[in-house]
Amino acid sequence: MNRPGAGGVQILPDHVANQIAAGEVVERPASVVKELAENAVDAGARRVEVALRNGGKTEIRVSDDGSGMNREDAVLALDRHATSKIRSVDDLRSVRSFGFRGEALPSIAAVSRFELHTALSPEEGVRARVDFGRIRSVDDVPRRRGTTVTVRALFHDLPARAKFLASSAAESRAAGEALVLLALANPAVGFRLESNRRASMDLAPARDWLERIGQLWGDLAPTLIPVEDAGDPVRVRGFVQRPDAARQRGGRRYAFVNGRPFRDPALLRLVDDAFRTTVVEGVRPSLFLRIETPPASVDVNVHPAKAEVRFRDRESVETAVHDAVRAALARLDSTKPMGVPGDAPDPERADRTSSRGRARTPRGEPPAEMPQFALFVSGRDDAGEPPEPGGEAGASGEGVAAEAPFVGPALWQLHDRYILAATRNGLLIVDQHSAHERVLYEEIMARFEAGGGTSQALLFPVTMQFSPPEAEALDDLAGLLVRQGFELEPFGERTWILTAAPQPHARFDAERCLREMVRELAEGSPLVNTARSQHERLAMSMACKGAIKAGEHISPEEARELFDRLFATPLPGHDVHGRPTIVRLSVEELDRRFGRG
């Protein structure tokens, strides 16, 4: 290691120091767009406009109508460590604004031909010009209230940096994504992005977050369901995609903490975990989550570009996110609607959206909490009025006031496949096999947690022979099968005698279920291959093989029992294959089909 000799240590000129500091802040044109647009939002702008030439490599222009600066502040803003957001070290622990970094403007000015034109009012406009870190001029030039920053010839004096920039199209996309993040974080602000004089984004101020999502992705917003968890001290709000609408190629995933976008792959994996058994492996539902926590409990300065954060109590944040998403998936509006993509019991949420945000978009309020029985058509008292709820109840209505008993929905079996149930706002169509599969899966997993289940001795023991792979799988699963109530005795090579079995329902065929289950577990399938443990593999397979089948006629009493047991599970709207158990048909959709709307 070379050691400096006498006189070898010296203070760098300011413009050189700023160019070095720029490396932390300015990586590419998108970094410039991000910093300048964040400053505009912090300045109270209601409208931010960004124009790019050649992907920002030739020119970046960011204009806003926020509060501008006077001459003194404009010049001071070009000095390193200048900021209007921080007054003491304590302020760093409770930062709520975006552009508090004092290095942003001087760092950008150090690697470009930079122009700042700003005004508190038309009479006080000032324009400052900087060429690669050297101030060239500061002139009084009137303009409307607000600020425009123009950045030209980015990295012209740093060819080694310039050669690492991507194509103009790629740089434009990166700048657009940076602006999308800011638009999502600030729905009340309008944003426009032009690339080579062609508009690629033009968003009017939105009423709420869901409307902003609809402005950006009109076909996505109707597939979202609200997430709402008013915990303390961590609160989680936002939207996740209905499982039936999620696709293999991944969704749009955005997370914000106290209004600031951040990256946290581990936290997003927790969301995927909450979706388990509601979607197939590899599907990544879209999500838009806002995490609110006391500012002092999150550090937003752990990344030079402010893209990552550190939580003081990460476990509480993880728990809040997982539980909030899981609760959203447990609600009825997470099930598949019939008709328009956004059809839901609330007619306002069925409004179509426009990618330009000029049409009505669904409102973002979470559905009111209510006992499950309130979803269905109830009985009536002598006066002909609906009965008053009297405590919590399941779909069967147990627990309502005795003087006005709740009458569960009338049920019909259709084509020996589906169970139909009238609701206050339409009709539920339940897939009897998928519904029973969800019920059995939850009951099997509960028996594992309880230490095992009961069995019933067979009147005539069954001799069963298996293939070598099946016999090997059976040996591996023998202990788990016993805990579920299967009693097997070895009887020669690859032969067992089944002497007792569980009886989860009257139609259960123990021999057929066991044969199909062992074959699936031996050969593998997309269903069981996604399981995380042998317990889960067995539960998924047994639930699928043991459930009543499509095309099997069931009595009204059996339909009622299945319906009630389904709504007693944590996730009644989804089976373990990732398919819906319930499809909703709203009155609004029926009216539309009959030309009444």
Side-chain angles (χ1 to χ4, degrees), residues 544-574:
C544 180
K545 309 310 177 189
I548 58 174
K549 310 301 180 187
E552 189 171 352
H553 182 75
I554 59 177
S555 68
E557 293 75 20
E558 289 174 310
R560 168 69 58 194
E561 181 185 6
L562 174 58
F563 194 82
D564 290 351
R565 289 167 69 192
L566 174 65
F567 277 94
T569 66
L571 296 170
H574 319 277

Side-chain angles (χ1 to χ4, degrees), residues 106-117:
S107 294
I108 295 169
V111 292
S112 67
R113 291 192 173 94
F114 179 93
E115 179 178 296
L116 170 67
H117 195 185

